[in-house]
């Protein structure tokens, strides 16, 4: 927010020359935009490192020097928005737009590796990465490691088989706020390099553990999601209203549908942590629309219609409300081929 500096859920629509945002009420966007960001003369920063506990930010600076900070629900979503917004800003330069879209799939995620597990190993006394003191441009940095040291460590501990894979993995550790750049060399790379060149495999680029990384590791309540289930191509995403499993109340959630592997994850848009609060594999699931006349068994609370149900292969029932029959049909149509 510009007046009260708090964070609010908004529904964004990207047009050729502007970004509109709408207020969300009861899981639905209001008909008129709450505001607009004119893209002519805008500059974009992604990732934006101005908030340490919010690693998934995009910053837009308009030609009138107004700053907008936009937070996404996942790394994939952030990069996708950043590329599309950049493409709109540079719409008059088709070659540059083609290069931006080519970069969309530049990250090749490795399967069955948890970022939490990697950082635990990096901190474990028996397998820890070596921390050193470094002097750079007159500034002293304690407990740092170089970009090339991180790459060497990932390969030697069998988390990657090539330097390209290790750089990809190190980039994810940085973008998910487990490690952060320090010093001019690494910091400048995050500000001015392409999305695929944020992390430097370089002996002069310094990095260190982010303050929040150990808190994230030690949180017993935090759900663990492997890279493999978050690595699929995003097929569909948007806000839906989901019934809770315990209290049976209805809450707005940001749903992200991925294919190969097929997973449906949901995020709490009010939380600072940009990680799914739940999710499940779609293999073996059943998805179906529910009739709007009457309340089905198992459904409680404020039901406005447009319901559909997903039953997992473990017989867990998810009840979800869309904002319209058309939206419900679109979600069912997108989910069914992945089951």
């Amino acid at each position: 927010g510009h007046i009260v500096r708090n964070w609010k859920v908004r529904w964004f629509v990207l047009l050729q020359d502007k970004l509109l945002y709408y207020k969300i009420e009861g899981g639905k966007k209001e008909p008129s935009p709450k505001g607009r960001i004119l893209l002519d003369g805008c500059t974009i920063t992604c990732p934006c490192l101005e908030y340490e506990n919010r690693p998934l930010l995009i910053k837009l600076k308009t030609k009138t020097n107004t700053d907008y900070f936009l937070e996404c629900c996942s790394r994939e979503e952030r990069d996708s928005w950043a590329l599309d917004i950049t493409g709109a800003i540079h719409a008059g330069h088709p070659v540059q737009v083609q290069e931006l879209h080519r970069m969309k799939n530049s990250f090749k995620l490795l399967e069955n590796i948890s970022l939490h597990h990697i950082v635990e190993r990096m901190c474990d006394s028996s397998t820890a990465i070596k921390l050193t003191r470094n002097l750079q441009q007159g500034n002293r940095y304690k407990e740092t490691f170089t970009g090339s040291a991180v790459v060497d460590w990932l390969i030697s501990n069998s988390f990657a088989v090539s330097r390209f894979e290790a750089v990809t993995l190190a980039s994810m550790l940085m973008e998910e706020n487990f490690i952060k750049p320090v010093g001019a060399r690494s910091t400048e790379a995050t500000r001015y390099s392409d999305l695929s060149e944020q992390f430097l495999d370089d002996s002069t680029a310094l990095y260190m553990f982010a303050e929040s990384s150990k808190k994230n590791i030690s949180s017993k309540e935090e759900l663990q999601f492997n890279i493999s289930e978050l690595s699929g191509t995003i097929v569909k995403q948007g806000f839906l209203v989901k019934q809770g499993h315990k209290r049976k109340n209805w809450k707005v959630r940001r749903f992200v549908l991925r294919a190969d592997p097929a997973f449906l994850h949901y995020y709490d848009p009010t939380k600072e942590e940009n990680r799914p609060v739940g999710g499940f594999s779609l293999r073996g699931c059943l998805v179906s629309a529910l009739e709007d006349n009457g309340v089905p068994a198992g459904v409680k609370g404020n039901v406005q219609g447009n319901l559909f149900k997903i039953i997992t292969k473990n017989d867990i029932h998810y009840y979800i409300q869309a904002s319209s029959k058309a939206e419900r049909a679109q979600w069912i149509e997108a989910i069914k081929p992945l089951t």
Side-chain angles (χ1 to χ4, degrees), residues 48-253:
C48 172
L49 305 176
E50 295 188 28
Y51 292 84
E52 183 178 333
N53 63 337
R54 293 179 180 273
L56 301 181
L57 284 183
I58 297 170
K59 179 183 177 181
L60 290 176
K61 181 184 282 291
T62 68
K63 65 180 180 181
T64 58
N65 289 323
T66 301
D67 291 339
Y68 290 89
F69 295 93
L70 315 178
E71 183 174 34
C72 300
C73 292
S74 69
R75 173 188 161 277
E76 299 97 325
E77 182 183 89
R78 183 202 63 192
D79 290 353
S80 178
W81 271 102
L83 286 160
D84 288 336
I85 292 171
T86 305
I89 293 172
H90 300 289
H93 306 280
V95 175
Q96 188 172 6
V97 174
Q98 289 177 8
E99 176 66 15
L100 288 166
H101 284 281
R102 184 191 64 76
M103 288 160 52
K104 265 191 176 182
N105 298 317
S106 61
F107 281 101
K108 304 296 183 184
L109 306 187
L110 309 180
E111 295 185 357
N112 301 319
I113 298 177
S114 163
L115 295 182
H116 288 267
H117 176 60
I118 292 174
V119 180
E120 283 178 345
R121 290 283 300 276
M122 291 178 80
C123 297
D124 187 275
S125 58
S126 60
T127 56
I129 188 170
K130 185 178 180 180
L131 302 179
T132 60
R133 293 184 179 184
N134 283 280
L135 178 66
Q136 196 172 87
Q137 294 184 342
N139 295 317
R140 292 185 179 277
Y141 299 100
K142 296 180 179 180
E143 298 186 333
T144 62
F145 35 80
T146 66
S148 56
V150 175
V151 171
D152 292 340
W153 186 91
L154 289 169
I155 293 173
S156 64
N157 284 271
S158 302
F159 287 114
V161 297
S162 68
R163 299 195 80 80
F164 174 78
E165 286 187 357
V167 168
T168 300
L169 201 48
S171 299
M172 294 183 65
L173 289 170
M174 183 175 68
E175 293 185 6
E176 296 297 332
N177 205 36
F178 287 105
I179 63 176
K180 65 179 182 180
V182 291
R185 181 87 173 87
S186 56
T187 303
E188 284 178 8
T190 63
R191 292 175 179 170
Y192 304 116
S193 296
D194 291 339
L195 293 176
S196 58
E197 299 173 353
Q198 297 284 325
F199 184 89
L200 298 178
D201 179 7
D202 192 310
S203 60
T204 64
L206 299 181
Y207 300 87
M208 66 187 303
F209 291 113
E211 292 296 326
S212 59
S213 62
K214 292 184 178 180
K215 295 178 184 177
N216 289 337
I217 295 169
S218 62
S219 175
K220 294 181 180 179
E221 296 179 357
E222 184 172 355
L223 294 173
Q224 302 294 311
F225 294 95
N226 286 335
I227 292 176
S228 59
E229 65 180 86
L230 294 172
S231 67
T233 302
I234 294 179
V235 175
K236 186 174 178 59
Q237 54 187 317
F239 287 99
L240 296 167
V241 184
K242 173 186 166 295
Q243 180 178 263
H245 289 295
K246 295 180 181 179
R247 296 185 180 180
K248 304 297 182 184
N249 54 350
W250 294 89
K251 293 183 179 179
V252 176
R253 292 290 180 257

